[in-house]
Structures are given as C-alpha cells and as structure tokens.
Amino acid sequence: MKIRYQITFASLAFLITGSFLVCTSPTSIVKAEPTQNVSSSLHTNTQQAHNSVKQAMRDTLQLGFPGILAKTSEGGKTWGYAAGVGNLSTNKPMETNFRFRIGSVTKTFTATVVLQLAGENRLNLDDSIEKWLPVVIQGNGYNGKQITIRQILNHTSGIAEYSRFKDADFMDTKKLYTADELVKMGISLPPDFVPGKGWSYSNTGYVLLGILIERVTGNSYAEEIENRIIEPLELSDTFLPGNSSVIPGTKHARGYSQPNEASEIKDVTYYNPSAGSSAGDMISTADDLNKFFSSLLGGKLLKEPQLKQMLTTVPVGRAGIDGYGLGISEFKLPNGVSVWGHIGGILGYSTFAGGTLGGKHTLVVSLNSLGRDNSPNPFKNILLAEFSK
C-alpha cells in the first residue's frame, strides 16, 4: 500500500543511543556488534562507502524507527546492515535476514506479470479495462471504455484511492477485505481526473490488475506471481499470504504503529493483509527482493519491448520521485545516477527496493514501523550513500 513518510517516536530515543549495527561481508556474517568492531580488513575506500551507509541508517533511526535492516548487492558481492531493535518487548536486535511485509513493492510484481502477459500477446496494454472486466468500472463519473491497462499501471487512470473511503478502517488488524470490496470502495468516490489527464496514486487500480490477471489467465494473481517469478527465481522467503495474518516462521521483526503522538505504540505484526491485495500484500526478505530487482532490471523477467515500456515514465508532480513507469519509480540522485524501484508501506512496515539499470547494483531497506505523517523520507539518505560510491 502507499507509504506515508512519517514517524517520530520520541519515546524510543533511548533505543537509538549505542544501537548495534551489523555488517555482512561478502564471505561471512558478522554478528550484532558495535560498528567500531566491524572487520578492518576491507579496503579503505570500500570501508568508507559502507560507513556512509551505516551513518545514513543511524540518521534514519533518529526519526524514531525501532529498527532498520538493509542489504545491497553489487558486482556479485552482498553487504548487509542492521540497526536498532526488532522487538521492543525483548530488545532483540534487528537482523539482516528477517522477513517483512513489503507493502507496495508488491506492485512491481503485479506489473511484471501484466507485462509478461502483454509480451505473450494475451492482452494489450492499450486495451480498455472494460474489454476485460465489463461493467466493473462504470457509473459515478467512470467509464471503463476510456481507461486503459497502461493508465492503471502508471496511475494516470483517475481511479480514486480506496483508502480515502470514509468508512474504511485499515487499523483493524483482523478485518478481511475482498478485491471486489476494495474496488467498490474506490469507485464509490468520484474520479480524480479524466483518464490520462493527471497522476494520482491508486491502490484501487492495482487491485483491479489482480482481478484482470485472473480474468486473462484463469489463475489468481498470487498463483501467477508464484509460477512466473517466485518459483523460477527460487525466492524461497517470498510469500503471498492471502488472508493469513502471520509472517511465516520466527525470523522476522515485530511491526509497530503509532497513528498519532497521543496514542500508544501498538504491535501490529499480526495483520490481515487483504487490505493490500495485489497492490500490497506480499512478504519477502532483502535477499529475495535484491534477486527480484536484479533479474527484472537485468532483462531476465521481461522481453525487451515490455521492459522498455515499464521504464517509460510519466511525471508525478511530487518531490523525490522523478517519474513513474509501469509499476516502478525512477529516483534521480544528485550524482546523475537513476535508481529504479518502489517504496512500500503497510501497517507495521516500510520498505524500499530497487537498483540501477542492468541489475548489477541493488538495494533493499526495511523498517519495522509505518508510523505517523509528516516525517522526512526515511530512505533518501541511504540511497544517496549507497549509490553515490
């Protein structure tokens, strides 16, 4: 689901002082230890680069997040970092191999399946949604005949965001939603604009794409993601949980929420992700997401014409994102490097995943809180540190 840049947990400041940072070398994992004890056998310039990432992570913790993990892959070598805590009750430290909810990073998986179907000539990106889902997007100012699959993929459809529905309560961790219910909530609101005449982030649109995948293939979007992406890439720690509120296994951080400064911190680890559906329900790890984005940006998942279309962006009119393609964003850094990826947020977790074209340099960051509004982008400085080497 769409991330809100947030969080200031002033009450957690004590967790930040002296917090542990883990660094994983290309050949071994250094267990949780103070950063000054990390192996000094690295080349000086490499050490400085990793120190910049570590400092950026410490700065992110200063925003009040309980814990953070990051993994980067470059030139066949993987480096991992973790800081803060994964469990506020036990003070168990964050670990680099934890599983976590990835929120809207799910959209890149969903978009990849749709583009694969386009590459197989099973649909056309300029087909109207009405062609495949008759009468579903009609009335209240909507005309599905005027909305294309491409517009849904790049958020130019004008379809309203279902999270704005006045009776929705996405803080209810047990609430079950069906895809049809989410879509009806979205289109009960008037369109944001005429299709193709603006840009507005729409989870509703990506839930529609999940329904579309099922209509075209006869299988659920979850089955198609598993068959087309998870199994071929051997993403053994990536899951589509459906209505299950559990993060599989025990290797995961607890997820936390604090809707406003006056409220108490709430453990929301067990959360029914049906509120995200094909827009944001998946669970993964940093290793799996690095492998996915390396394969995607390296041209291993999409044919060249479809990858080119995925990376063709439209302006979004928002600071920090230089364009949105088909299920993927472009982030242009001051040094001229473009990072392609997605930000994801769902109750309890915030994620960034992406990399450079060619897929040889990727980064994944996960925080175990979604938090409150109005805090700075927690990923910006980490991206700058990692991709400014």
Side-chain angles (χ1 to χ4, degrees):
M1 297 176 71
K2 182 170 58 175
I3 189 168
R4 299 169 295 152
Y5 291 129
Q6 343 160 303
I7 277 198
T8 310
F9 287 167
S11 61
L12 301 184
F14 71 96
L15 293 174
I16 298 168
T17 305
S19 61
F20 284 67
L21 187 63
V22 183
C23 182
T24 306
S25 74
T27 57
S28 64
I29 295 177
V30 181
K31 293 184 179 180
E33 60 181 351
T35 57
Q36 63 266 28
N37 291 340
V38 172
S39 171
S40 61
S41 63
L42 305 170
H43 295 299
T44 301
N45 60 340
T46 303
Q47 185 68 66
Q48 289 174 344
H50 293 304
N51 286 342
S52 296
V53 175
K54 288 187 260 185
Q55 184 58 54
M57 291 175 67
R58 292 190 194 96
D59 292 342
T60 298
L61 281 185
Q62 293 291 339
L63 299 175
F65 291 93
I68 182 172
L69 67 85
K71 272 197 174 181
T72 181
S73 179
E74 183 179 13
K77 295 181 179 180
T78 298
W79 292 88
Y81 312 85
V85 296
N87 188 319
L88 292 176
S89 298
T90 64
N91 282 334
K92 180 180 180 180
M94 186 70 90
E95 297 181 22
T96 60
N97 62 348
F98 276 169
R99 294 169 177 166
F100 48 87
R101 301 190 189 279
I102 70 173
S104 278
V105 179
T106 301
K107 289 182 174 66
T108 311
F109 285 82
T110 299
T112 298
V113 171
V114 173
L115 285 160
Q116 287 180 342
L117 293 171
E120 296 163 7
N121 296 317
R122 299 177 69 177
L123 58 79
N124 189 300
L125 297 183
D126 295 315
D127 287 343
S128 71
I129 195 63
E130 178 72 13
K131 175 180 177 179
W132 293 100
L133 302 175
V135 193
V136 173
I137 307 299
Q138 291 292 345
N140 196 29
Y142 292 96
N143 183 350
K145 295 179 180 179
Q146 298 176 357
I147 298 173
T148 67
I149 296 171
R150 187 187 308 274
Q151 290 169 339
I152 296 173
L153 282 163
N154 65 16
H155 298 295
T156 61
S157 68
I159 297 173
E161 167 54 42
Y162 63 74
S163 66
R164 302 201 305 259
F165 184 69
K166 63 181 179 64
D167 293 329
D169 181 12
F170 297 116
M171 290 296 294
D172 184 343
T173 59
K174 298 180 181 180
K175 175 70 174 177
L176 168 65
Y177 294 92
T178 67
D180 288 341
E181 286 173 335
L182 295 173
V183 170
K184 288 178 181 178
M185 288 163 58
I187 64 173
S188 71
L189 304 170
D192 290 335
F193 46 78
V194 174
K197 300 299 182 181
W199 190 90
S200 182
Y201 196 93
S202 177
N203 285 301
T204 311
Y206 270 76
V207 174
L208 267 175
L209 293 176
I211 298 172
L212 170 69
I213 289 169
E214 184 167 358
R215 180 61 58 89
V216 174
T217 67
N219 298 319
S220 69
Y221 73 89
E223 290 172 309
E224 289 296 315
I225 289 174
E226 288 170 356
N227 294 337
R228 292 169 173 271
I229 302 174
I230 293 176
E231 291 182 3
L233 295 183
E234 297 182 346
L235 306 181
S236 58
D237 289 306
T238 299
F239 306 92
L240 291 110
N243 299 326
S244 173
S245 62
V246 175
I247 299 177
T250 59
K251 297 291 288 185
H252 60 80
R254 308 295 296 185
Y256 297 98
S257 174
Q258 189 184 35
N260 55 66
E261 292 186 21
S263 63
E264 294 183 359
I265 299 167
K266 183 179 180 182
D267 187 325
V268 290
T269 307
Y270 296 105
Y271 180 72
N272 187 327
S274 62
S277 189
S278 50
D281 69 354
M282 291 178 66
I283 293 165
S284 192
T285 62
D287 280 333
D288 275 7
L289 290 179
N290 273 323
K291 186 183 293 186
F292 167 64
F293 275 94
S294 179
S295 298
L296 177 64
L297 296 171
K300 297 177 181 178
L301 289 174
L302 295 175
K303 297 176 182 178
E304 185 176 351
Q306 280 68 49
L307 182 58
K308 183 177 180 180
Q309 290 184 80
M310 173 178 261
L311 301 176
T312 300
T313 65
V314 295
V316 304
R318 295 186 181 185
I321 301 178
D322 295 278
Y324 196 93
L326 306 183
I328 198 166
S329 298
E330 181 181 15
F331 306 87
K332 293 181 180 179
L333 304 183
N335 63 351
V337 173
S338 283
V339 179
W340 295 86
H342 216 291
I343 290 171
I346 192 167
L347 199 63
Y349 301 88
S350 303
T351 303
F352 169 83
T356 54
L357 288 184
K360 293 183 178 180
H361 191 179
T362 58
L363 169 71
V364 175
V365 183
S366 175
L367 299 145
N368 59 335
S369 180
L370 183 59
R372 302 196 303 265
D373 294 331
N374 303 321
S375 284
N377 180 341
F379 306 110
K380 178 181 178 181
N381 290 338
I382 301 172
L383 266 69
L384 287 171
E386 177 58 34
F387 293 99
S388 295
K389 295 176 181 176

